Amino acid sequence: VVGSFWSKHAMVTSLVASVLVVVVSVAVVNELLERRDRKRWSLLAQNVLFALVQSARLTWTAMVDLLGLAKVESGSTDSLLDGARIALDRERVSAAADELLRDPERRQALQRALARLSAHASDVIARWASVMVGAAPYAGLLDRHVELQARLEWLSSVLGHNEPAPDRGERPRRLNLSSIATEHAQDLDDRWVHDMVVSITLLATRLDYDSRGAAFSLVSEDWWSERTKSLADTT
């Protein structure tokens, strides 16, 4: 039946075929244009991803330090990888979070660190969101960084509301009061705080390496070495 329909309606068949050709052609052209545009701004995109990597790395290294799990040394690849393996060990992070939450002084230290980490992540995202939001291949990655920043802000706000620091000023008090995160702060117990600490640590570590991989897929480390050598040789 289908075959006879198309054979009896040659004009419709021709029109449908033409439309399909146009659709496929437009899709191919759009893909080529997107690839060309991505290649043009690859260094900018890599720089943005490096900024996001730094923000995520700052978060998870601070968390493993606060949890007493590890101290990551700067400039050491081995120390960084060892710290990341610890940060991705859910059971160790979970047990360390339970221990931290039993200590009032460490809870205050956690709260102060979360406020700083949240502010830094927010600044990075605000600075670069307009550049990355239109980049389809990296929109999902950017969204995960936004999730990380939101988790930092929510946990910081809830702790600040439920356990205000003795020296808290008027501005932090007002910000906590106006935060959506604190609408149900009194209903959020230590199990929620524990799960947020674990989630933040794991998410930040994964984002560090996922974003790093995406960055070097744009411009390789070899390209940077060759580019540096070529510039040095011509000056």
Side-chain angles (χ1 to χ4, degrees):
V1 174
V2 174
S4 63
F5 172 84
W6 294 115
S7 63
K8 293 177 181 179
H9 299 82
M11 183 175 292
V12 174
T13 303
S14 178
L15 287 173
V16 171
S18 298
V19 169
L20 289 175
V21 169
V22 170
V23 169
V24 172
S25 299
V26 169
V28 170
V29 170
N30 285 340
E31 176 62 21
L32 291 173
L33 291 174
E34 286 183 7
R35 287 186 182 181
R36 185 190 64 183
D37 290 342
R38 289 200 297 269
K39 186 175 181 180
R40 284 177 176 173
W41 63 283
S42 57
L43 288 176
L44 173 59
Q46 186 181 65
N47 187 59
V48 175
L49 289 170
F50 282 160
L52 293 172
V53 167
Q54 184 184 40
S55 179
R57 187 170 297 177
L58 177 65
T59 298
W60 74 258
T61 54
M63 294 302 290
V64 296
D65 188 8
L66 285 164
L67 292 168
L69 292 171
K71 279 191 174 293
V72 179
E73 300 295 333
S74 63
S76 171
T77 303
D78 290 339
S79 177
L80 192 66
L81 291 174
D82 288 343
R85 280 190 286 269
I86 293 171
L88 291 173
D89 188 334
R90 188 184 303 273
E91 291 186 3
R92 289 186 65 179
V93 173
S94 177
D98 283 331
E99 185 178 345
L100 181 149
L101 295 177
R102 287 193 288 267
D103 187 331
E105 291 186 4
R106 294 181 70 191
R107 292 174 74 107
Q108 287 290 319
L110 172 65
Q111 184 184 149
R112 291 191 295 270
L114 288 168
R116 293 191 297 269
L117 293 169
S118 174
H120 177 77
S122 180
D123 287 344
V124 172
I125 291 170
R127 187 180 306 124
W128 295 114
S130 60
V131 175
M132 296 295 285
V133 74
Y138 312 107
L141 199 55
L142 178 62
D143 201 48
R144 290 168 63 199
H145 281 278
V146 173
E147 178 195 350
L148 175 61
Q149 190 279 327
R151 288 182 179 277
L152 288 166
E153 184 174 350
W154 274 61
L155 183 53
S156 174
S157 297
V158 169
L159 288 175
H161 180 275
N162 290 343
E163 306 166 28
D167 57 347
R168 182 176 68 164
E170 179 65 14
R171 184 172 182 274
R173 187 186 75 81
R174 288 288 182 183
L175 288 174
N176 273 336
L177 179 64
S178 60
S179 172
I180 294 178
T182 61
E183 289 181 1
H184 304 286
Q186 294 178 347
D187 299 328
L188 301 173
D189 57 13
D190 273 3
R191 176 47 49 184
W192 180 86
V193 176
H194 165 277
D195 291 348
M196 285 291 280
V197 168
V198 174
S199 299
I200 286 169
T201 306
L202 295 174
L203 178 60
T205 310
R206 290 171 182 151
L207 277 175
D208 178 343
Y209 287 92
D210 288 350
S211 302
R212 186 184 185 281
F216 281 117
S217 71
L218 288 167
V219 183
S220 69
E221 294 179 82
D222 289 341
W223 181 92
W224 280 104
S225 298
E226 293 169 4
R227 176 66 171 161
T228 301
K229 187 176 185 304
S230 66
L231 289 172
D233 289 344
T234 58
T235 56

